[in-house]
Amino acid sequence: MPNDVLVEIKGLQKHFQSFLALAGVDLTIRKGEVLCVIGPSGSGKSTLLRCINNLETYDGGRLYVEGDLIGYREKNGALWEMPEGAIARQRRSIGMVFQRFNLFRHKTALQNITEGPIHVNGISPKKAREEALLLLRRVGLEDRADSYPDNMSTGQQQRVAIARALAMKPKLMLFDEPTSALDPELVGEVLQVMRDLAAEGMTMVVVTHEIGFAQEVADRIAFMDGGRIVECDTPESLLKNPKTERTRNFLQNVW
Ligand code: ADP
Ligand code: MG
């Protein structure tokens, strides 16, 4: 595997009972790459992200992050369950931002960000606080360190959620429709933070309906349908020159 590859996915399958939610996904993501994933509701976008982040098991294929098989140990060609501790360790190096920001409501912005570094990574509270303040500045919220989520706008809460994920120093950031639950006028400020992050070289997988953002920021866009990646190409090719009827139809409705 060339060492600029961060994520390598081969023939990934995921069933929910008899329903095939991922029907053989192949995908390679390079370090520093921004991949946007688009596609209709129910096409498997969230399931794919959740498999990458070990929030969901898979039942066929292989999924590697930095050469590390995610979720399983492989022995004699078979997969074996991994101990919870090892799964938690893998999950820690991958940041995830959800549609709903799920911040701790009884903690301030700063406390939300320092929670993981202090209690999971064992960083000293002083150091965690210093780093959290830098992260708050990075997402434009240096003056909201002591605010509680309920006193912040949805856009501000989502920016805290991004800072919280970054505090764990992830090698990969996954975003699952991070702007879908925001008040429309606050979408831009969250996209700006993500744009900055991409420009700094963070490897990102972004499930989004913001086709304009995907066009501008993505190195490649993957179109998913029926648990498969139907097409994956540069924004230029995929948006202007879709190769399949299904991609064309989807784009006609959203773009
Ligand atoms: P998307 O994010 O593209 O909207 P999902 O990955 O959430 O799609 O879901 C893909 C399919 O898998 C959907 O049909 C959904 O109903 C199904 N699915 C997702 N999670 C579960 C679950 N926990 N149990 C049963 N079915 C699920
Ligand atoms: Mg989804």
Side-chain angles (χ1 to χ4, degrees):
M1 195 187 297
N3 61 7
D4 72 331
V5 169
L6 187 64
V7 181
E8 177 90 62
I9 301 174
K10 295 180 197 164
L12 194 71
Q13 286 198 5
K14 168 68 184 176
H15 286 85
F16 290 108
Q17 287 82 45
S18 64
F19 178 73
L20 191 56
L22 294 178
V25 169
D26 296 294
L27 183 64
T28 302
I29 303 169
R30 296 182 313 277
K31 285 186 182 150
E33 189 176 17
V34 177
L35 177 81
C36 284
V37 182
I38 62 174
S41 177
S43 58
K45 306 180 298 295
S46 295
T47 304
L48 176 63
L49 284 197
R50 293 170 60 80
C51 284
I52 297 175
N53 198 24
N54 245 319
L55 291 170
E56 204 73 79
T57 57
Y58 49 93
D59 43 57
R62 299 285 188 275
L63 198 173
Y64 302 89
V65 177
E66 251 181 354
D68 226 13
L69 182 67
I70 292 293
Y72 298 93
R73 298 251 157 86
E74 189 165 9
K75 217 164 34 182
N76 305 326
L79 298 188
W80 302 84
E81 263 180 45
M82 201 182 231
E84 266 306 314
I87 288 180
R89 218 164 14 253
Q90 286 186 332
R91 200 176 281 151
R92 230 175 277 162
S93 65
I94 300 171
M96 182 132 172
V97 175
F98 302 88
Q99 186 173 348
R100 300 242 152 239
F101 352 100
N102 29 52
L103 298 174
F104 301 113
R105 311 232 70 82
H106 59 289
K107 289 184 195 290
T108 64
L110 189 96
Q111 289 165 342
N112 265 283
I113 298 170
T114 57
E115 170 84 12
I118 294 173
H119 296 287
V120 180
N121 287 357
I123 307 291
S124 78
K126 181 169 179 289
K127 179 119 183 66
R129 189 187 153 81
E130 283 165 12
E131 291 184 359
L133 287 170
L134 288 175
L135 284 168
L136 279 170
R137 182 179 313 160
R138 203 158 142 196
V139 300
L141 292 172
E142 58 272 46
D143 55 339
R144 301 309 299 270
D146 299 321
S147 299
Y148 286 87
D150 289 345
N151 297 325
M152 285 189 268
S153 72
T154 53
Q156 289 171 334
Q157 290 181 58
Q158 191 61 303
R159 286 187 280 151
V160 173
I162 294 173
R164 181 177 61 175
L166 292 174
M168 300 299 278
K169 301 191 170 42
K171 53 188 164 202
L172 171 66
M173 282 286 283
L174 309 174
F175 294 87
D176 195 355
E177 301 193 25
T179 59
S180 302
L182 302 183
D183 303 308
E185 74 275 20
L186 304 176
V187 166
E189 67 192 41
V190 172
L191 292 181
Q192 188 54 45
V193 167
M194 295 168 64
R195 211 176 269 124
D196 293 344
L197 203 53
E200 288 161 21
M202 177 62 79
T203 313
M204 299 164 49
V205 183
V206 184
V207 174
T208 187
H209 297 300
E210 300 285 338
I211 308 286
F213 172 82
Q215 179 179 38
E216 179 200 344
V217 178
D219 295 298
R220 286 183 302 156
I221 301 177
F223 169 67
M224 283 189 79
D225 196 16
R228 287 191 175 80
I229 294 180
V230 173
E231 203 170 324
C232 183
D233 212 332
T234 60
E236 175 75 11
S237 298
L238 190 131
L239 297 175
K240 302 230 170 78
N241 223 337
K243 288 183 190 62
T244 70
E245 191 64 37
R246 275 199 284 176
T247 313
R248 211 170 301 131
N249 285 342
F250 176 77
L251 288 172
Q252 260 163 17
N253 290 325
V254 297
W255 181 230

